[in-house]
Amino acid sequence: MAPNQNIPPLNDKSLFKQECYVNGEWIKAKSGKTFEVKDPGSGKLIGTCPEFSKEDTDEAIKVAAAAFPSFRKTTGRERARMLRKWYQLMMDNAEDIAKLITWENGKPFADAKGEAAYAASFFEWFSEEAPRTDGDTITATVPGNRIFTIKEPVGVCGLITPWNFPAAMITRKVGPALAAGCTVVAKSPGETPFTSLALAELAHRAGIPKGVVNFITALENTAEVGSAITASPTVRKVSFTGSTGVGKLLMKQSANTLKKLSFELGGNAPFIVFDDADLDVAVNGAIACKFRSSGQTCVCANRIYVQKGIYDKFAAAFAEKVKGFKVGGGYDEGVTHGPLIHDRAISKVDAHVRDAEKKGGKVVVGGQKMSELGSNFFQPTVITGMTMDMRLASEETFGPVAGLFPFETEAEVVAMANKVDVGLAGYFYSSNLQRAYRVAEALEVGMVGINTGLVSDPAAPFGGVKDSGFGREGSQQGISEYQITKMVTMGGMGQPLQGS
């Protein structure tokens, strides 16, 4: 039966915006063109948003550039108060933000409420970092010289975010940019623009000055808008979260203007369970890590490696947990997992399952599309007997499919885990302290979870290595991505006191 998507009304209907936010005003595209946004669960129309073009984007960049000279002169404490007020408004309206997330993204309402709070936490964290962007005093090697550094905002920033976390990916970039004193043009994902536009409305209410934050939308013109941002000499920093392929394209487009870049790109996270792990804890960790947002996160476990001595026990317990999932519309009572974002996601998930079956894998739970619910639903799936020649071993699935690979030794599993071009997150479960250090140091990833399947925290530096990108978001390091370090050397400072 198709999901009963009775959308609960917003408590504050004015948060639902269908225009872009530029220079403190709500505007349409100059062409008048719009694109449709549909509920991935029901396929029904949610609303329309402006189809911005290069011309529209250039205008938003010009506005951000005009706002930068005055905003950069605000004190860190002033910017902290702005971010804190924006944070409080997000918390006050968290339920409505969650409703929008579920409506356009499809994730269950409980998950969406978690994201709304997590997203707000970045504004809280960076409001506390804003007054503490200090430089250093450095001991010179030349007598009479004195050296110090100043941290300055890099300038206008172009921020490009994905659809899987419509609120958190925005705040994780906008928060440090504003804390540093930068102005921004944020390109919202075409699949999920309404959450970011609600955040823009809250920015307006928080008193963020005109032109400091600008939210633009596009779907068909996404490549054109991205090119406008990367090619503009006015934009001094680009932060992008998305696929590795698009990241490489944006990097190439940014070369002529030598921008500062930070990219959080594709992942293919290994999740390793050693035979000395607490089995129940490992099973629960794997469930949380693999199936959060129906597997549509860049740090989801994509390859689950289980040591042979406990493989059968782990597989049985893991499969039993997955059988208890309830798939449906995000607002429906008791639903644990919602739809995938679109038909392309369904096609890739199905292809990975069929490939594993063809090469000897055994589907023990799920494995099929759920057409009775709608075109974007797929059964949470567990496959045993996985081998390294299967597509799932080398490609990110980005869906609710858990493939269980057996292994024998540490060296073997680390070699398998590292045999990919990407390196975002990796996880393992073990009760051996020495093993914890050995394996953590050997995994070629930017983030490691030991005896936990969740590593995201506004206080932690988030980012990868290899084809998963560079730069860090969150933490003290996150604000540095939006700053430059200016060195000042003062000469002639070693003179004796006058009168001596």
Side-chain angles (χ1 to χ4, degrees):
M1 190 174 91
N4 178 27
Q5 286 292 80
N6 291 319
I7 312 301
L10 298 180
N11 298 315
D12 182 351
K13 292 181 173 58
S14 66
L15 289 178
F16 183 72
K17 298 293 186 181
Q18 298 185 79
E19 295 178 314
C20 291
Y21 184 74
V22 177
N23 202 26
E25 298 177 352
W26 294 99
I27 65 171
K28 303 180 187 299
K30 293 182 186 298
S31 66
K33 291 182 178 178
T34 61
F35 61 91
E36 294 184 343
V37 182
K38 295 184 178 180
D39 176 348
S42 67
K44 294 179 180 178
L45 179 69
I46 297 175
T48 63
C49 281
E51 186 72 76
F52 259 38
S53 64
K54 179 184 184 302
E55 183 183 2
D56 296 307
T57 305
D58 287 343
E59 184 61 32
I61 292 170
K62 188 184 300 183
V63 163
F68 178 63
S70 59
F71 188 67
R72 70 175 298 173
K73 292 178 182 177
T74 57
T75 66
R77 185 63 64 189
E78 287 175 304
R79 299 193 296 274
R81 293 191 189 103
M82 294 179 201
L83 284 169
R84 182 72 194 191
K85 190 168 183 180
W86 200 355
Y87 158 76
Q88 192 57 56
L89 285 168
M90 282 194 69
M91 295 304 295
D92 293 344
N93 293 276
E95 185 172 321
D96 278 349
I97 292 168
K99 288 175 183 176
L100 288 170
I101 291 171
T102 294
W103 197 3
E104 60 184 355
N105 171 277
K107 66 179 64 177
F109 190 47
D111 289 0
K113 287 192 283 188
E115 183 189 340
Y118 175 58
S121 72
F122 285 102
F123 285 159
E124 180 182 39
W125 171 266
F126 285 110
S127 74
E128 295 161 350
E129 288 297 300
R132 299 177 177 85
T133 57
D134 301 323
D136 296 306
T137 301
I138 301 166
T139 302
T141 61
V142 178
N145 279 4
R146 302 293 181 267
I147 303 172
F148 62 92
T149 63
I150 304 169
K151 296 287 189 178
E152 295 184 338
V154 67
V156 176
C157 301
L159 314 177
I160 305 174
T161 59
W163 50 262
N164 57 342
F165 287 91
M169 295 300 97
I170 290 281
T171 59
R172 195 159 71 177
K173 298 180 189 298
V174 172
L178 265 60
C182 298
T183 57
V184 306
V185 175
K187 194 280 178 186
S188 306
E191 298 88 349
T192 58
F194 295 117
T195 302
S196 62
L197 296 177
L199 299 187
E201 169 62 22
L202 296 180
H204 189 83
R205 298 180 190 179
I208 308 297
K210 287 184 177 183
V212 171
V213 290
N214 305 278
F215 287 80
I216 65 176
T217 63
L219 184 62
E220 183 181 330
N221 292 346
T222 292
E224 180 182 331
V225 168
S227 179
I229 290 171
T230 53
S232 171
T234 304
V235 175
R236 300 311 312 150
K237 155 81 183 185
V238 171
S239 178
F240 168 70
T241 298
S243 73
T244 296
V246 174
K248 288 180 177 180
L249 175 62
L250 295 175
M251 189 172 182
K252 184 183 293 186
Q253 292 173 346
S254 299
N256 285 341
T257 51
L258 290 176
K259 303 183 190 306
K260 190 167 187 174
L261 304 173
S262 55
F263 288 164
E264 191 260 284
L265 308 177
N268 189 342
F271 188 104
I272 304 167
V273 184
F274 290 102
D275 56 13
D276 61 0
D278 183 312
L279 190 66
D280 292 337
V281 173
V283 167
N284 289 331
I287 289 290
C289 188
K290 170 65 251 180
F291 290 103
R292 185 165 60 116
S293 297
S294 295
Q296 298 177 110
T297 86
C298 53
V299 291
C300 273
N302 198 62
R303 302 162 288 151
I304 301 177
Y305 299 104
V306 185
Q307 203 155 18
K308 284 188 175 179
I310 59 167
Y311 184 90
D312 291 339
K313 279 187 177 180
F314 180 92
F318 186 80
E320 198 59 34
K321 290 272 188 182
V322 175
K323 288 175 184 175
F325 292 167
K326 180 180 178 182
V327 180
Y331 298 113
D332 292 351
E333 188 70 28
V335 164
T336 58
H337 295 80
L340 301 193
I341 191 65
H342 45 49
D343 56 357
R344 299 190 302 280
I346 288 287
S347 296
K348 185 175 185 182
V349 167
D350 189 57
H352 278 197
V353 174
R354 303 287 80 84
D355 173 76
E357 279 187 316
K358 181 180 177 182
K359 294 172 181 173
K362 181 181 178 183
V363 176
V364 294
V365 180
Q368 301 296 327
K369 299 176 184 178
M370 304 180 75
S371 302
E372 70 278 11
L373 291 180
S375 61
N376 293 333
F377 290 87
F378 199 94
Q379 293 174 335
T381 300
V382 180
I383 308 174
T384 58
M386 296 293 293
T387 56
M388 293 299 288
D389 63 334
M390 296 172 182
R391 287 179 61 184
L392 195 146
S394 58
E395 298 177 15
E396 185 179 26
T397 304
F398 227 66
V401 179
L404 308 185
F405 297 76
F407 75 91
E408 292 186 357
T409 68
E410 274 182 26
E412 176 193 12
V413 74
V414 168
M416 290 193 292
N418 290 341
K419 197 179 178 181
V420 289
D421 294 331
V422 294
L424 189 57
Y427 311 85
F428 66 91
Y429 278 66
S430 172
S431 60
N432 185 308
L433 183 61
Q434 291 177 322
R435 170 177 278 167
Y437 272 89
R438 284 196 304 269
V439 176
E441 291 171 359
L443 289 174
E444 295 173 356
V445 295
M447 300 173 286
V448 178
I450 304 175
N451 295 327
T452 180
L454 301 174
V455 295
S456 298
D457 187 315
F462 189 102
V465 298
K466 303 198 293 191
D467 276 7
S468 287
F470 45 82
R472 293 296 180 265
E473 295 188 310
S475 80
Q476 290 177 317
Q477 296 179 34
I479 198 168
S480 297
E481 299 289 341
Y482 297 88
Q483 294 174 314
I484 58 172
T485 300
K486 179 180 286 183
M487 184 273 290
V488 179
T489 298
M490 301 177 67
M493 304 298 290
Q495 299 173 7
L497 290 171
Q498 291 184 353
S500 60

